[in-house]
PDB file of all heavy atoms in Angstrom:
ATOM      1  N   LEU A   1     -58.443 204.268 187.264  1.00  0.00           N
ATOM      2  CA  LEU A   1     -57.615 204.012 186.040  1.00  0.00           C
ATOM      3  C   LEU A   1     -56.255 204.701 186.176  1.00  0.00           C
ATOM      4  O   LEU A   1     -55.188 204.079 185.936  1.00  0.00           O
ATOM      5  CB  LEU A   1     -58.367 204.485 184.804  1.00  0.00           C
ATOM      6  CG  LEU A   1     -57.621 204.346 183.499  1.00  0.00           C
ATOM      7  CD1 LEU A   1     -57.360 202.908 183.178  1.00  0.00           C
ATOM      8  CD2 LEU A   1     -58.461 204.964 182.354  1.00  0.00           C
ATOM      9  N   LEU A   2     -56.267 205.993 186.540  1.00  0.00           N
ATOM     10  CA  LEU A   2     -55.055 206.741 186.661  1.00  0.00           C
ATOM     11  C   LEU A   2     -54.162 206.183 187.795  1.00  0.00           C
ATOM     12  O   LEU A   2     -52.966 206.136 187.660  1.00  0.00           O
ATOM     13  CB  LEU A   2     -55.346 208.234 186.900  1.00  0.00           C
ATOM     14  CG  LEU A   2     -56.009 208.960 185.731  1.00  0.00           C
ATOM     15  CD1 LEU A   2     -56.192 210.408 186.091  1.00  0.00           C
ATOM     16  CD2 LEU A   2     -55.107 208.895 184.491  1.00  0.00           C
ATOM     17  N   THR A   3     -54.782 205.784 188.913  1.00  0.00           N
ATOM     18  CA  THR A   3     -54.012 205.234 190.011  1.00  0.00           C
ATOM     19  C   THR A   3     -53.343 203.906 189.610  1.00  0.00           C
ATOM     20  O   THR A   3     -52.168 203.655 189.922  1.00  0.00           O
ATOM     21  CB  THR A   3     -54.944 204.982 191.241  1.00  0.00           C
ATOM     22  OG1 THR A   3     -55.511 206.204 191.614  1.00  0.00           O
ATOM     23  CG2 THR A   3     -54.138 204.438 192.412  1.00  0.00           C
ATOM     24  N   GLY A   4     -54.088 203.053 188.882  1.00  0.00           N
ATOM     25  CA  GLY A   4     -53.540 201.832 188.413  1.00  0.00           C
ATOM     26  C   GLY A   4     -52.401 202.025 187.455  1.00  0.00           C
ATOM     27  O   GLY A   4     -51.329 201.383 187.533  1.00  0.00           O
ATOM     28  N   LEU A   5     -52.556 202.952 186.484  1.00  0.00           N
ATOM     29  CA  LEU A   5     -51.506 203.216 185.548  1.00  0.00           C
ATOM     30  C   LEU A   5     -50.280 203.847 186.225  1.00  0.00           C
ATOM     31  O   LEU A   5     -49.118 203.515 185.927  1.00  0.00           O
ATOM     32  CB  LEU A   5     -51.994 204.212 184.462  1.00  0.00           C
ATOM     33  CG  LEU A   5     -53.023 203.600 183.492  1.00  0.00           C
ATOM     34  CD1 LEU A   5     -53.530 204.700 182.504  1.00  0.00           C
ATOM     35  CD2 LEU A   5     -52.433 202.431 182.719  1.00  0.00           C
ATOM     36  N   GLY A   6     -50.520 204.717 187.122  1.00  0.00           N
ATOM     37  CA  GLY A   6     -49.384 205.297 187.940  1.00  0.00           C
ATOM     38  C   GLY A   6     -48.673 204.259 188.752  1.00  0.00           C
ATOM     39  O   GLY A   6     -47.428 204.259 188.808  1.00  0.00           O
ATOM     40  N   GLY A   7     -49.408 203.372 189.430  1.00  0.00           N
ATOM     41  CA  GLY A   7     -48.810 202.337 190.184  1.00  0.00           C
ATOM     42  C   GLY A   7     -48.030 201.348 189.333  1.00  0.00           C
ATOM     43  O   GLY A   7     -46.888 200.921 189.705  1.00  0.00           O
ATOM     44  N   LEU A   8     -48.564 201.045 188.161  1.00  0.00           N
ATOM     45  CA  LEU A   8     -47.845 200.161 187.223  1.00  0.00           C
ATOM     46  C   LEU A   8     -46.528 200.843 186.741  1.00  0.00           C
ATOM     47  O   LEU A   8     -45.502 200.145 186.642  1.00  0.00           O
ATOM     48  CB  LEU A   8     -48.717 199.801 186.054  1.00  0.00           C
ATOM     49  CG  LEU A   8     -48.113 198.892 184.985  1.00  0.00           C
ATOM     50  CD1 LEU A   8     -47.681 197.524 185.556  1.00  0.00           C
ATOM     51  CD2 LEU A   8     -49.093 198.739 183.819  1.00  0.00           C
ATOM     52  N   GLY A   9     -46.605 202.073 186.438  1.00  0.00           N
ATOM     53  CA  GLY A   9     -45.403 202.845 185.968  1.00  0.00           C
ATOM     54  C   GLY A   9     -44.370 202.869 187.052  1.00  0.00           C
ATOM     55  O   GLY A   9     -43.148 202.627 186.742  1.00  0.00           O
ATOM     56  N   MET A  10     -44.743 203.110 188.278  1.00  0.00           N
ATOM     57  CA  MET A  10     -43.788 203.104 189.352  1.00  0.00           C
ATOM     58  C   MET A  10     -43.147 201.722 189.603  1.00  0.00           C
ATOM     59  O   MET A  10     -41.985 201.569 189.900  1.00  0.00           O
ATOM     60  CB  MET A  10     -44.410 203.653 190.615  1.00  0.00           C
ATOM     61  CG  MET A  10     -43.418 203.937 191.741  1.00  0.00           C
ATOM     62  SD  MET A  10     -44.200 204.736 193.191  1.00  0.00           S
ATOM     63  CE  MET A  10     -45.300 203.438 193.744  1.00  0.00           C
ATOM     64  N   LEU A  11     -43.993 200.660 189.500  1.00  0.00           N
ATOM     65  CA  LEU A  11     -43.490 199.310 189.659  1.00  0.00           C
ATOM     66  C   LEU A  11     -42.473 198.985 188.583  1.00  0.00           C
ATOM     67  O   LEU A  11     -41.425 198.407 188.897  1.00  0.00           O
ATOM     68  CB  LEU A  11     -44.652 198.325 189.593  1.00  0.00           C
ATOM     69  CG  LEU A  11     -44.297 196.840 189.683  1.00  0.00           C
ATOM     70  CD1 LEU A  11     -43.577 196.553 191.039  1.00  0.00           C
ATOM     71  CD2 LEU A  11     -45.516 195.975 189.523  1.00  0.00           C
ATOM     72  N   LEU A  12     -42.762 199.363 187.340  1.00  0.00           N
ATOM     73  CA  LEU A  12     -41.795 199.078 186.239  1.00  0.00           C
ATOM     74  C   LEU A  12     -40.500 199.895 186.486  1.00  0.00           C
ATOM     75  O   LEU A  12     -39.412 199.342 186.212  1.00  0.00           O
ATOM     76  CB  LEU A  12     -42.405 199.504 184.917  1.00  0.00           C
ATOM     77  CG  LEU A  12     -43.578 198.608 184.456  1.00  0.00           C
ATOM     78  CD1 LEU A  12     -44.149 199.178 183.166  1.00  0.00           C
ATOM     79  CD2 LEU A  12     -43.116 197.191 184.211  1.00  0.00           C
ATOM     80  N   ALA A  13     -40.612 201.153 186.961  1.00  0.00           N
ATOM     81  CA  ALA A  13     -39.415 201.922 187.254  1.00  0.00           C
ATOM     82  C   ALA A  13     -38.612 201.275 188.365  1.00  0.00           C
ATOM     83  O   ALA A  13     -37.396 201.189 188.302  1.00  0.00           O
ATOM     84  CB  ALA A  13     -39.825 203.361 187.615  1.00  0.00           C
ATOM     85  N   ALA A  14     -39.261 200.781 189.418  1.00  0.00           N
ATOM     86  CA  ALA A  14     -38.573 200.175 190.515  1.00  0.00           C
ATOM     87  C   ALA A  14     -37.874 198.884 190.127  1.00  0.00           C
ATOM     88  O   ALA A  14     -36.700 198.612 190.503  1.00  0.00           O
ATOM     89  CB  ALA A  14     -39.530 199.858 191.676  1.00  0.00           C
ATOM     90  N   VAL A  15     -38.551 198.099 189.283  1.00  0.00           N
ATOM     91  CA  VAL A  15     -37.927 196.848 188.814  1.00  0.00           C
ATOM     92  C   VAL A  15     -36.712 197.157 187.868  1.00  0.00           C
ATOM     93  O   VAL A  15     -35.723 196.531 187.970  1.00  0.00           O
ATOM     94  CB  VAL A  15     -38.959 196.026 188.015  1.00  0.00           C
ATOM     95  CG1 VAL A  15     -38.319 194.867 187.308  1.00  0.00           C
ATOM     96  CG2 VAL A  15     -40.066 195.480 188.966  1.00  0.00           C
ATOM     97  N   GLY A  16     -36.841 198.238 187.097  1.00  0.00           N
ATOM     98  CA  GLY A  16     -35.744 198.659 186.219  1.00  0.00           C
ATOM     99  C   GLY A  16     -34.544 199.072 187.042  1.00  0.00           C
ATOM    100  O   GLY A  16     -33.402 198.707 186.710  1.00  0.00           O
ATOM    101  N   ILE A  17     -34.816 199.905 188.141  1.00  0.00           N
ATOM    102  CA  ILE A  17     -33.707 200.348 188.959  1.00  0.00           C
ATOM    103  C   ILE A  17     -33.038 199.100 189.624  1.00  0.00           C
ATOM    104  O   ILE A  17     -31.795 199.051 189.687  1.00  0.00           O
ATOM    105  CB  ILE A  17     -34.188 201.318 190.022  1.00  0.00           C
ATOM    106  CG1 ILE A  17     -34.697 202.584 189.351  1.00  0.00           C
ATOM    107  CG2 ILE A  17     -33.117 201.629 191.068  1.00  0.00           C
ATOM    108  CD1 ILE A  17     -35.360 203.542 190.292  1.00  0.00           C
ATOM    109  N   TYR A  18     -33.864 198.230 190.110  1.00  0.00           N
ATOM    110  CA  TYR A  18     -33.292 197.001 190.762  1.00  0.00           C
ATOM    111  C   TYR A  18     -32.464 196.173 189.798  1.00  0.00           C
ATOM    112  O   TYR A  18     -31.342 195.762 190.166  1.00  0.00           O
ATOM    113  CB  TYR A  18     -34.414 196.140 191.296  1.00  0.00           C
ATOM    114  CG  TYR A  18     -33.952 194.816 191.856  1.00  0.00           C
ATOM    115  CD1 TYR A  18     -33.374 194.734 193.160  1.00  0.00           C
ATOM    116  CD2 TYR A  18     -34.113 193.673 191.170  1.00  0.00           C
ATOM    117  CE1 TYR A  18     -32.894 193.535 193.680  1.00  0.00           C
ATOM    118  CE2 TYR A  18     -33.666 192.442 191.619  1.00  0.00           C
ATOM    119  CZ  TYR A  18     -33.076 192.374 192.903  1.00  0.00           C
ATOM    120  OH  TYR A  18     -32.652 191.206 193.426  1.00  0.00           O
ATOM    121  N   GLY A  19     -32.955 196.021 188.578  1.00  0.00           N
ATOM    122  CA  GLY A  19     -32.148 195.228 187.596  1.00  0.00           C
ATOM    123  C   GLY A  19     -30.837 195.875 187.249  1.00  0.00           C
ATOM    124  O   GLY A  19     -29.830 195.232 187.148  1.00  0.00           O
ATOM    125  N   VAL A  20     -30.903 197.198 186.996  1.00  0.00           N
ATOM    126  CA  VAL A  20     -29.662 197.892 186.617  1.00  0.00           C
ATOM    127  C   VAL A  20     -28.685 197.887 187.742  1.00  0.00           C
ATOM    128  O   VAL A  20     -27.444 197.609 187.534  1.00  0.00           O
ATOM    129  CB  VAL A  20     -30.008 199.349 186.198  1.00  0.00           C
ATOM    130  CG1 VAL A  20     -28.727 200.198 186.058  1.00  0.00           C
ATOM    131  CG2 VAL A  20     -30.807 199.365 184.927  1.00  0.00           C
ATOM    132  N   MET A  21     -29.138 198.129 188.977  1.00  0.00           N
ATOM    133  CA  MET A  21     -28.216 198.173 190.133  1.00  0.00           C
ATOM    134  C   MET A  21     -27.666 196.733 190.444  1.00  0.00           C
ATOM    135  O   MET A  21     -26.513 196.584 190.875  1.00  0.00           O
ATOM    136  CB  MET A  21     -28.881 198.762 191.360  1.00  0.00           C
ATOM    137  CG  MET A  21     -29.260 200.208 191.154  1.00  0.00           C
ATOM    138  SD  MET A  21     -27.919 201.222 190.468  1.00  0.00           S
ATOM    139  CE  MET A  21     -26.652 201.036 191.664  1.00  0.00           C
ATOM    140  N   SER A  22     -28.494 195.763 190.275  1.00  0.00           N
ATOM    141  CA  SER A  22     -28.038 194.389 190.519  1.00  0.00           C
ATOM    142  C   SER A  22     -26.899 194.040 189.506  1.00  0.00           C
ATOM    143  O   SER A  22     -25.872 193.466 189.848  1.00  0.00           O
ATOM    144  CB  SER A  22     -29.176 193.341 190.318  1.00  0.00           C
ATOM    145  OG  SER A  22     -30.097 193.506 191.359  1.00  0.00           O
ATOM    146  N   SER A  23     -27.100 194.419 188.226  1.00  0.00           N
ATOM    147  CA  SER A  23     -26.008 194.174 187.210  1.00  0.00           C
ATOM    148  C   SER A  23     -24.778 194.992 187.557  1.00  0.00           C
ATOM    149  O   SER A  23     -23.660 194.505 187.419  1.00  0.00           O
ATOM    150  CB  SER A  23     -26.574 194.581 185.843  1.00  0.00           C
ATOM    151  OG  SER A  23     -25.566 194.472 184.852  1.00  0.00           O
ATOM    152  N   PHE A  24     -25.006 196.246 188.051  1.00  0.00           N
ATOM    153  CA  PHE A  24     -23.842 197.079 188.423  1.00  0.00           C
ATOM    154  C   PHE A  24     -23.053 196.459 189.540  1.00  0.00           C
ATOM    155  O   PHE A  24     -21.805 196.402 189.502  1.00  0.00           O
ATOM    156  CB  PHE A  24     -24.415 198.459 188.756  1.00  0.00           C
ATOM    157  CG  PHE A  24     -23.363 199.358 189.452  1.00  0.00           C
ATOM    158  CD1 PHE A  24     -22.436 200.007 188.688  1.00  0.00           C
ATOM    159  CD2 PHE A  24     -23.380 199.538 190.838  1.00  0.00           C
ATOM    160  CE1 PHE A  24     -21.461 200.830 189.301  1.00  0.00           C
ATOM    161  CE2 PHE A  24     -22.414 200.377 191.429  1.00  0.00           C
ATOM    162  CZ  PHE A  24     -21.490 200.996 190.672  1.00  0.00           C
ATOM    163  N   VAL A  25     -23.752 196.008 190.582  1.00  0.00           N
ATOM    164  CA  VAL A  25     -23.051 195.401 191.710  1.00  0.00           C
ATOM    165  C   VAL A  25     -22.359 194.074 191.311  1.00  0.00           C
ATOM    166  O   VAL A  25     -21.233 193.838 191.717  1.00  0.00           O
ATOM    167  CB  VAL A  25     -24.063 195.160 192.877  1.00  0.00           C
ATOM    168  CG1 VAL A  25     -23.444 194.309 193.974  1.00  0.00           C
ATOM    169  CG2 VAL A  25     -24.591 196.455 193.433  1.00  0.00           C
ATOM    170  N   GLU A  26     -23.031 193.288 190.477  1.00  0.00           N
ATOM    171  CA  GLU A  26     -22.438 192.035 190.057  1.00  0.00           C
ATOM    172  C   GLU A  26     -21.104 192.261 189.278  1.00  0.00           C
ATOM    173  O   GLU A  26     -20.125 191.545 189.491  1.00  0.00           O
ATOM    174  CB  GLU A  26     -23.451 191.281 189.134  1.00  0.00           C
ATOM    175  CG  GLU A  26     -22.944 189.914 188.709  1.00  0.00           C
ATOM    176  CD  GLU A  26     -22.915 188.932 189.837  1.00  0.00           C
ATOM    177  OE1 GLU A  26     -23.583 189.122 190.854  1.00  0.00           O
ATOM    178  OE2 GLU A  26     -22.115 187.991 189.724  1.00  0.00           O
ATOM    179  N   ARG A  27     -21.098 193.251 188.448  1.00  0.00           N
ATOM    180  CA  ARG A  27     -19.878 193.522 187.671  1.00  0.00           C
ATOM    181  C   ARG A  27     -18.785 194.135 188.511  1.00  0.00           C
ATOM    182  O   ARG A  27     -17.583 194.019 188.161  1.00  0.00           O
ATOM    183  CB  ARG A  27     -20.199 194.459 186.489  1.00  0.00           C
ATOM    184  CG  ARG A  27     -20.991 193.810 185.366  1.00  0.00           C
ATOM    185  CD  ARG A  27     -21.226 194.682 184.142  1.00  0.00           C
ATOM    186  NE  ARG A  27     -22.149 195.787 184.410  1.00  0.00           N
ATOM    187  CZ  ARG A  27     -21.748 197.039 184.599  1.00  0.00           C
ATOM    188  NH1 ARG A  27     -20.506 197.383 184.566  1.00  0.00           N
ATOM    189  NH2 ARG A  27     -22.687 197.976 184.848  1.00  0.00           N
ATOM    190  N   ARG A  28     -19.121 194.760 189.602  1.00  0.00           N
ATOM    191  CA  ARG A  28     -18.113 195.470 190.393  1.00  0.00           C
ATOM    192  C   ARG A  28     -17.845 194.757 191.662  1.00  0.00           C
ATOM    193  O   ARG A  28     -17.145 195.324 192.587  1.00  0.00           O
ATOM    194  CB  ARG A  28     -18.620 196.896 190.705  1.00  0.00           C
ATOM    195  CG  ARG A  28     -18.752 197.723 189.450  1.00  0.00           C
ATOM    196  CD  ARG A  28     -18.957 199.206 189.752  1.00  0.00           C
ATOM    197  NE  ARG A  28     -17.840 199.734 190.575  1.00  0.00           N
ATOM    198  CZ  ARG A  28     -17.834 200.964 191.045  1.00  0.00           C
ATOM    199  NH1 ARG A  28     -18.888 201.759 190.840  1.00  0.00           N
ATOM    200  NH2 ARG A  28     -16.862 201.427 191.773  1.00  0.00           N
ATOM    201  N   ILE A  29     -18.243 193.521 191.826  1.00  0.00           N
ATOM    202  CA  ILE A  29     -17.944 192.736 192.988  1.00  0.00           C
ATOM    203  C   ILE A  29     -16.404 192.619 193.257  1.00  0.00           C
ATOM    204  O   ILE A  29     -15.934 192.876 194.408  1.00  0.00           O
ATOM    205  CB  ILE A  29     -18.544 191.319 192.934  1.00  0.00           C
ATOM    206  CG1 ILE A  29     -20.047 191.414 193.234  1.00  0.00           C
ATOM    207  CG2 ILE A  29     -17.867 190.351 193.941  1.00  0.00           C
ATOM    208  CD1 ILE A  29     -20.377 191.737 194.690  1.00  0.00           C
ATOM    209  N   PRO A  30     -15.594 192.361 192.249  1.00  0.00           N
ATOM    210  CA  PRO A  30     -14.121 192.267 192.482  1.00  0.00           C
ATOM    211  C   PRO A  30     -13.609 193.629 192.973  1.00  0.00           C
ATOM    212  O   PRO A  30     -12.783 193.675 193.897  1.00  0.00           O
ATOM    213  CB  PRO A  30     -13.587 191.882 191.130  1.00  0.00           C
ATOM    214  CG  PRO A  30     -14.679 191.144 190.451  1.00  0.00           C
ATOM    215  CD  PRO A  30     -15.939 191.841 190.863  1.00  0.00           C
ATOM    216  N   GLU A  31     -14.067 194.714 192.375  1.00  0.00           N
ATOM    217  CA  GLU A  31     -13.569 195.992 192.787  1.00  0.00           C
ATOM    218  C   GLU A  31     -13.997 196.329 194.243  1.00  0.00           C
ATOM    219  O   GLU A  31     -13.183 196.832 194.996  1.00  0.00           O
ATOM    220  CB  GLU A  31     -14.184 197.077 191.868  1.00  0.00           C
ATOM    221  CG  GLU A  31     -13.843 198.550 192.284  1.00  0.00           C
ATOM    222  CD  GLU A  31     -14.694 199.568 191.572  1.00  0.00           C
ATOM    223  OE1 GLU A  31     -15.165 199.324 190.480  1.00  0.00           O
ATOM    224  OE2 GLU A  31     -14.863 200.640 192.160  1.00  0.00           O
ATOM    225  N   MET A  32     -15.222 195.958 194.561  1.00  0.00           N
ATOM    226  CA  MET A  32     -15.679 196.192 195.936  1.00  0.00           C
ATOM    227  C   MET A  32     -14.855 195.311 196.932  1.00  0.00           C
ATOM    228  O   MET A  32     -14.594 195.716 198.023  1.00  0.00           O
ATOM    229  CB  MET A  32     -17.144 195.914 196.028  1.00  0.00           C
ATOM    230  CG  MET A  32     -18.030 196.819 195.248  1.00  0.00           C
ATOM    231  SD  MET A  32     -19.779 196.404 195.283  1.00  0.00           S
ATOM    232  CE  MET A  32     -20.505 197.662 194.259  1.00  0.00           C
ATOM    233  N   GLY A  33     -14.510 194.126 196.466  1.00  0.00           N
ATOM    234  CA  GLY A  33     -13.692 193.281 197.348  1.00  0.00           C
ATOM    235  C   GLY A  33     -12.341 193.867 197.606  1.00  0.00           C
ATOM    236  O   GLY A  33     -11.842 193.827 198.745  1.00  0.00           O
ATOM    237  N   VAL A  34     -11.757 194.473 196.570  1.00  0.00           N
ATOM    238  CA  VAL A  34     -10.467 195.181 196.791  1.00  0.00           C
ATOM    239  C   VAL A  34     -10.583 196.351 197.754  1.00  0.00           C
ATOM    240  O   VAL A  34      -9.797 196.504 198.665  1.00  0.00           O
ATOM    241  CB  VAL A  34      -9.897 195.664 195.412  1.00  0.00           C
ATOM    242  CG1 VAL A  34      -8.700 196.549 195.654  1.00  0.00           C
ATOM    243  CG2 VAL A  34      -9.596 194.492 194.515  1.00  0.00           C
ATOM    244  N   ARG A  35     -11.647 197.085 197.590  1.00  0.00           N
ATOM    245  CA  ARG A  35     -11.862 198.241 198.467  1.00  0.00           C
ATOM    246  C   ARG A  35     -12.055 197.790 199.908  1.00  0.00           C
ATOM    247  O   ARG A  35     -11.515 198.413 200.812  1.00  0.00           O
ATOM    248  CB  ARG A  35     -13.071 199.054 197.974  1.00  0.00           C
ATOM    249  CG  ARG A  35     -12.847 199.710 196.631  1.00  0.00           C
ATOM    250  CD  ARG A  35     -14.093 200.410 196.168  1.00  0.00           C
ATOM    251  NE  ARG A  35     -14.477 201.484 197.042  1.00  0.00           N
ATOM    252  CZ  ARG A  35     -15.616 202.213 196.906  1.00  0.00           C
ATOM    253  NH1 ARG A  35     -16.418 201.958 195.905  1.00  0.00           N
ATOM    254  NH2 ARG A  35     -15.882 203.146 197.779  1.00  0.00           N
ATOM    255  N   LEU A  36     -12.834 196.753 200.076  1.00  0.00           N
ATOM    256  CA  LEU A  36     -13.032 196.226 201.457  1.00  0.00           C
ATOM    257  C   LEU A  36     -11.777 195.649 202.043  1.00  0.00           C
ATOM    258  O   LEU A  36     -11.468 195.827 203.268  1.00  0.00           O
ATOM    259  CB  LEU A  36     -14.143 195.164 201.428  1.00  0.00           C
ATOM    260  CG  LEU A  36     -15.562 195.670 201.152  1.00  0.00           C
ATOM    261  CD1 LEU A  36     -16.490 194.442 200.942  1.00  0.00           C
ATOM    262  CD2 LEU A  36     -16.078 196.565 202.243  1.00  0.00           C
TER     263      LEU A  36
END
C-alpha cells in the first residue's frame, strides 16, 4: 500500500513537472530562438 501510494505520488509529481516545463518552453520559444 505504501509503495503504491508513494509511486503514485511520484508519478503525479513527474507529470506536473513535465506539464509546467512544457508550458514554460512553449512560451519562451521565441526568446530561445533569439538566443540561439
Side-chain angles (χ1 to χ4, degrees):
L1 179 61
L2 292 180
T3 301
L5 292 176
L8 179 61
M10 190 173 64
L11 177 62
L12 292 175
V15 171
I17 294 173
Y18 173 78
V20 170
M21 295 313 300
S22 294
S23 176
F24 168 78
V25 171
E26 184 68 23
R27 287 185 289 105
R28 296 190 58 184
I29 283 291
E31 174 194 336
M32 294 177 182
V34 172
R35 293 176 62 185
L36 291 172

